Amino acid sequence: MAEEQVEFRIYNSMTQQKEILKTKVPGKVSMYVCGITAYDFSHLGHARAAVSFDILFRYLKHLGYEVTYVRNFTDVDDKIIKRANEIGEDPLMLSNRFCDEYNVDMSDLQCEKPSKEPRVSDHIDQIKDMITQIINNDYAYEVDGDVFYAVEKFPSYGMLSGQRLEHNRAGERVAVDSRKRHPADFALWKAAKPGEPSWDSPWGPGRPGWHIECSAMSACYLTHNFDIHGGGIDLIFPHHENEIAQSWAADKESNISYWMHNGHVTNNNEKMSKSLGNFFTIRQITERYHALALRYFLISAHYRSPLNYSILQLESSSDAIYYIFQTLQDCKDALSSILQGDTEKKDNVPPVNEAAKECIKKLNVEFQTKMSDDLQTPVVLTGALQEALKFVNSSLKLLKKKMQKKAQLQLVQSLLEVEKEVRKVLNVLGLLSSKSYAEVLQELKDKALKRAGLSEDEVLHQIEERTQARKNKDFPKSDKIRTDLTAKGIALMDVGNETIWRPCIPTEPLVAGVQTDQKAPTVEEKQSIPPVNQKVEEIPVDREGNGPPTSS
């Protein structure tokens, strides 16, 4: 590997501690992450899981690992069938449509495609084979066309979550299926019902239970022994707990080295989920904020920590992305004009200056140290990366001053090297785009105008009015125009004899340059995105009859 000496520590949910990554095959990583149940547009919780493991995927490759990354689609499920029946659409066509929509969202969020994206409907044979093996090993039983896993036969049930069978007492939360030997037994295969997709099996027509699909598909592509299994923290129980039990029952050599889980996205400190009706789809957010701003927001907290949704944080993230891309654009413009005008041979490239060397060293050390300590993206975003961007901006100011040719070339070379290192970091974080800096900046401005409810022509007209007011020495009017625009997220900047605008974090209105006594509506109140119009329903039993759902 390129950086073989790096010790990469990740938090293992199984042992509840950070551990040094030691892969089963040196130089290679096998990773399976639970994907979405495709029956609707994906929400911020789905985005956070995808971005969290995309960061892991990118960083592992940065370290030189060859990574096989498998992320599934659940396209056969109770929720899909229910939604399809409500709108009169074939369940598989419905799920296929939302798998495609999910991939559009992932592309917008700069998530790299996994190595494999298996779907349940394409792996029915593998699922049936695994169920057959579990039955043959006497860990499952068939009743009226349904097949249940016998949890009491797995002595380590609860090893991941800490849930114990004695804590699951019959009749307390859900009606007990009298056919089960134990209330916690869960479905591996469900007998066919009218109006549902089904496949032939040794136990009669039916379809897979939820948990078995991931055990079968991970084994199909990674075997029963692989390095990392990931997903949202809500999947620890029962989904991942049941996966462990199933896989062990099918093959007692089954072993996953590391279990990784990302934290919830919360809304007012309550888990964001479809069942609670307090969620926002990725599309709702990217309609008003750039997808890179959303990605920045999603990695602004450590992946295992809860992330509370707020408009103010989205505004701050958008502002941060604008600053990054404006800095890169300014650097490109300045260096292009100098390098194009320099016709001398580049045989003797000057060394970078000491400040640049220190900047690069600090950025590299902090990036490697913090990312190798369980992916501490918030520290990377706010630490040496910001110092490197400040170095670029201060150096660009120096370039505008008169200096000797040798000193200028050294500064140019220093800027080139620092910019290269900044881009490396941004690339691993997924914060670069295939589009040009100028295109991204224009997209950020377009989104800011949309949030402000203004067109660019209207902003330019107000700039003209402000310019005229200043000429007339009507400073209260010119200040009010500027303040009103700032309150809407439009900052005016006087550069020489002209005034330009850029997006900014909206502020509360000011009157005559002084904060008003009466509190103005907050940013959240003025610009909050309405949740999806969905009533809060009673919490149904989950997909296997084990109580309230833990995933949406």
Side-chain angles (χ1 to χ4, degrees):
M1 297 191 310
E3 298 187 40
E4 210 165 359
Q5 301 305 311
V6 174
E7 286 193 344
F8 181 24
R9 294 179 181 272
I10 56 177
Y11 185 85
N12 188 349
S13 300
M14 180 67 76
T15 61
Q16 297 185 28
Q17 63 184 10
K18 292 179 188 177
E19 299 177 1
I20 297 172
L21 177 65
K22 295 180 180 178
T23 59
K24 294 180 183 295
V25 179
K28 295 184 178 182
V29 175
S30 48
M31 177 169 78
Y32 184 94
V33 175
C34 292
I36 64 162
T37 299
Y39 69 100
D40 203 345
F41 288 103
S42 295
H43 57 62
L44 285 189
H46 299 136
R48 190 179 193 199
V51 169
S52 296
F53 289 101
D54 181 65
I55 292 284
L56 175 61
F57 185 33
R58 286 170 176 269
Y59 189 61
L60 286 168
K61 291 193 294 180
H62 170 75
L63 293 178
Y65 287 101
E66 180 185 330
V67 186
T68 302
Y69 174 19
V70 182
R71 185 183 66 211
N72 77 296
F73 281 112
T74 295
D75 63 346
V76 179
D77 181 80
D78 293 345
K79 293 180 180 180
I80 296 169
I81 294 166
K82 182 175 182 292
R83 177 64 56 82
N85 289 339
E86 289 171 353
I87 63 177
E89 187 174 355
D90 177 76
L92 288 176
M93 290 183 66
L94 173 78
S95 58
N96 184 65
R97 179 159 58 87
F98 283 115
C99 287
D100 291 342
E101 296 289 1
Y102 176 81
N103 281 331
V104 171
D105 288 336
M106 294 303 100
S107 178
D108 287 345
L109 287 170
Q110 303 297 315
C111 289
E112 295 186 341
K113 284 188 72 66
S115 314
K116 301 286 183 182
E117 293 183 283
R119 302 187 184 193
V120 174
S121 60
D122 295 328
H123 294 77
I124 299 298
D125 287 343
Q126 291 90 338
I127 291 170
K128 289 189 292 186
D129 288 346
M130 179 171 276
I131 294 172
T132 299
Q133 189 64 44
I134 294 171
I135 292 174
N136 290 344
N137 290 342
D138 199 28
Y139 285 91
Y141 56 94
E142 183 264 337
V143 182
D144 302 328
D146 291 324
V147 179
F148 294 101
Y149 183 91
V151 294
E152 285 186 302
K153 294 204 169 190
F154 181 47
S156 299
Y157 191 79
M159 61 193 298
L160 177 65
S161 64
Q163 297 276 352
R164 298 299 176 190
L165 288 179
E166 58 267 25
H167 297 158
N168 193 333
R169 293 189 291 270
E172 286 196 349
R173 285 168 32 175
V174 295
V176 177
D177 186 339
S178 59
R179 301 176 305 158
K180 292 183 179 182
R181 297 176 184 173
H182 188 282
D185 289 354
F186 55 90
L188 300 178
W189 187 261
K190 296 183 174 185
K193 295 179 182 177
E196 294 186 355
S198 63
W199 290 263
D200 289 334
S201 80
W203 321 285
R207 58 184 175 86
W210 174 34
H211 310 299
I212 190 66
E213 64 183 59
C214 288
S215 288
M217 288 189 286
S218 62
C220 176
Y221 293 98
L222 304 175
T223 77
H224 285 285
N225 291 273
F226 58 95
D227 297 308
I228 299 171
H229 196 316
I233 194 171
D234 54 339
L235 295 179
I236 291 178
F237 186 85
H239 186 52
H240 287 166
E241 197 70 75
N242 290 348
E243 276 192 65
I244 293 170
Q246 292 164 160
S247 297
W248 185 85
D251 185 339
K252 288 185 173 56
E253 299 301 315
S254 171
N255 177 264
I256 296 167
S257 300
Y258 308 92
W259 289 85
M260 297 181 70
H261 296 92
N262 65 275
H264 294 309
V265 178
T266 58
N267 190 354
N268 293 325
N269 297 312
E270 184 175 45
K271 181 202 168 189
M272 189 177 286
S273 70
K274 289 180 179 177
S275 60
L276 294 175
N278 65 345
F279 72 102
F280 304 98
T281 66
I282 298 169
R283 298 287 173 89
Q284 282 179 296
I285 303 299
T286 56
E287 181 70 19
R288 295 165 66 89
Y289 292 89
H290 200 285
L292 283 173
L294 175 54
R295 185 180 177 101
Y296 189 102
F297 164 67
L298 291 169
I299 65 175
S300 64
H302 188 265
Y303 78 91
R304 285 190 285 116
S305 301
L307 176 63
N308 197 46
Y309 164 83
S310 83
I311 290 295
L312 184 57
Q313 286 197 55
L314 280 172
E315 290 285 356
S316 297
S317 297
S318 184
D319 196 59
I321 289 293
Y322 193 91
Y323 172 67
I324 290 169
F325 276 81
Q326 187 65 67
T327 299
L328 293 173
Q329 181 65 52
D330 290 345
C331 186
K332 179 184 176 183
D333 291 343
L335 296 184
S336 295
S337 61
I338 292 172
L339 294 173
Q340 286 174 5
D342 184 9
T343 57
E344 295 182 11
K345 291 184 179 180
K346 304 297 188 299
D347 295 337
N348 298 316
V349 177
V352 299
N353 60 38
E354 289 303 315
K357 288 180 183 177
E358 184 62 27
C359 179
I360 291 169
K361 179 182 178 182
K362 187 172 183 180
L363 179 59
N364 287 337
V365 169
E366 182 175 281
F367 178 67
Q368 180 173 298
T369 302
K370 298 305 179 184
M371 289 296 286
S372 292
D373 183 17
D374 199 31
L375 305 172
Q376 293 192 42
T377 55
V379 181
V380 174
L381 290 175
T382 58
L385 176 61
Q386 293 302 316
E387 291 183 27
L389 293 169
K390 288 177 184 177
F391 173 87
V392 171
N393 282 311
S394 61
S395 297
L396 290 175
K397 290 179 182 177
L398 283 177
L399 270 183
K400 295 177 182 178
K401 298 179 180 180
K402 287 185 178 181
M403 61 176 66
Q404 293 182 346
K405 186 69 172 178
K406 184 177 180 180
Q408 184 191 58
L409 289 176
Q410 184 180 45
L411 189 55
V412 167
Q413 188 62 31
S414 298
L415 276 166
L416 286 171
E417 292 301 318
V418 172
E419 186 224 16
K420 183 171 71 175
E421 296 305 314
V422 166
R423 283 183 57 87
K424 283 182 184 177
V425 170
L426 293 174
N427 184 56
V428 177
L429 296 177
L431 293 177
L432 287 180
S433 171
S434 58
K435 297 177 181 177
S436 69
Y437 301 148
E439 287 175 308
V440 173
L441 288 168
Q442 187 57 53
E443 288 173 348
L444 286 160
K445 292 178 81 171
D446 291 342
K447 297 289 186 184
L449 288 170
K450 186 167 191 175
R451 296 194 298 275
L454 296 168
S455 67
E456 186 150 26
D457 285 342
E458 288 172 322
V459 172
L460 295 176
H461 177 70
Q462 291 192 51
I463 288 175
E464 289 176 9
E465 283 197 351
R466 176 175 173 270
T467 301
Q468 190 59 49
R470 294 175 76 191
K471 286 180 180 178
N472 297 336
K473 299 190 183 302
D474 188 352
F475 297 117
K477 181 178 179 180
S478 67
D479 289 347
K480 185 177 187 307
I481 291 172
R482 184 174 198 161
T483 300
D484 289 349
L485 286 173
T486 303
K488 294 181 178 181
I490 305 295
L492 301 185
M493 296 180 292
D494 297 317
V495 181
N497 295 324
E498 66 171 334
T499 301
I500 61 174
W501 75 272
R502 58 151 287 174
C504 69
I505 300 173
T507 62
E508 294 182 354
L510 304 175
V511 177
V514 180
Q515 183 74 43
T516 56
D517 291 332
Q518 184 177 0
K519 185 178 181 297
T522 64
V523 173
E524 283 84 351
E525 291 169 333
K526 289 186 291 183
Q527 300 199 24
S528 61
I529 300 172
V532 171
N533 185 17
Q534 182 171 338
K535 295 179 181 178
V536 178
E537 301 173 352
E538 291 185 8
I539 299 176
V541 295
D542 79 0
R543 289 175 275 196
E544 308 306 337
N546 287 324
T550 58
S551 177
S552 53

